[in-house]
Amino acid sequence: MKHVILTLGIFSLGFLTSCDNTTETSEAEEVQTEQVEKTEGEEHPEAEDHAHSHDDGEAIALNNGEKWLVNEEMKPFVQEGETFVKAYVESGDEDYLSLAENVAEQNNQLISSCTMQGVSHDELHKWLHPHLELTNALSEAKNVEEANHIVEELEASYAMYHEYFQ
């Protein structure tokens, strides 16, 4: 259990530093970024009517009615994490700590392979942050019943990924 928590802690630190996403930008940089993103065919999510809001207030929105593109090198890690969750559910397995470790490893690989930029990158982070919290919660679950509830939430998280990203 301590190994899982340590891994998730290191993972979270890597998550914060691995992506090309800075929080402090000048107004001129923001305007320039908006112009570049619009020329790439990406609209700002505020303009999109269909959005999903998380508990932290961050809303995932479609790209002008279309799914956001995710870099090909990142997709296998989402797919493999989802495969672990489906296998756990279908088998009736109760080793949720191993599941948490396997999904956390896929999340680590996903973050390590992150080369996305712009609005699509920001939208993916709106999905990923709560997903990482679920993975962490699974590693800290006190019993199988609690873990299985979190697994249901992970299934919903992967469904949301498929709703907004391709």
Side-chain angles (χ1 to χ4, degrees):
M1 177 88 147
K2 289 181 182 179
H3 173 66
V4 172
I5 293 171
L6 179 61
T7 300
L8 289 173
I10 292 170
F11 166 70
S12 296
L13 180 60
F15 171 68
L16 294 173
T17 60
S18 70
C19 291
D20 190 23
N21 183 20
T22 58
T23 56
E24 296 180 19
T25 58
S26 70
E27 201 170 318
E29 288 173 323
E30 289 177 17
V31 169
Q32 183 179 15
T33 301
E34 286 178 23
Q35 291 170 344
V36 168
E37 290 165 353
K38 286 182 181 177
T39 61
E40 293 175 350
E42 295 182 350
E43 293 292 325
H44 279 280
E46 296 80 21
E48 181 59 49
D49 293 331
H50 181 80
H52 180 83
S53 182
H54 293 288
D55 292 338
D56 61 4
E58 295 283 338
I60 301 175
L62 291 170
N63 180 16
N64 213 14
E66 300 293 325
K67 293 180 181 182
W68 296 99
L69 295 177
V70 175
N71 292 358
E72 290 299 319
E73 63 270 12
M74 297 172 68
K75 291 179 183 180
F77 305 114
V78 174
Q79 293 168 344
E80 188 66 20
E82 185 174 25
T83 298
F84 282 125
V85 171
K86 285 181 179 179
Y88 175 89
V89 171
E90 291 171 2
S91 71
D93 192 358
E94 293 186 352
D95 187 2
Y96 61 88
L97 293 176
S98 290
L99 174 62
E101 200 170 311
N102 289 334
V103 173
E105 177 58 31
Q106 295 309 306
N107 292 342
N108 286 336
Q109 295 294 327
L110 173 67
I111 290 167
S112 296
S113 66
C114 180
T115 58
M116 293 175 62
Q117 296 180 357
V119 179
S120 60
H121 173 263
D122 297 341
E123 292 302 305
L124 183 63
H125 275 253
K126 290 177 186 179
W127 168 78
L128 185 58
H129 180 72
H131 184 79
L132 296 175
E133 289 176 352
L134 286 172
T135 305
N136 188 45
L138 183 60
S139 71
E140 296 174 352
K142 304 289 185 241
N143 55 52
V144 173
E145 182 178 293
E146 180 183 348
N148 286 342
H149 176 71
I150 296 167
V151 168
E152 288 175 7
E153 292 181 55
L154 280 169
E155 288 179 302
S157 176
Y158 284 115
M160 183 185 302
Y161 169 86
H162 293 296
E163 181 179 344
Y164 291 97
F165 304 97
Q166 60 179 357

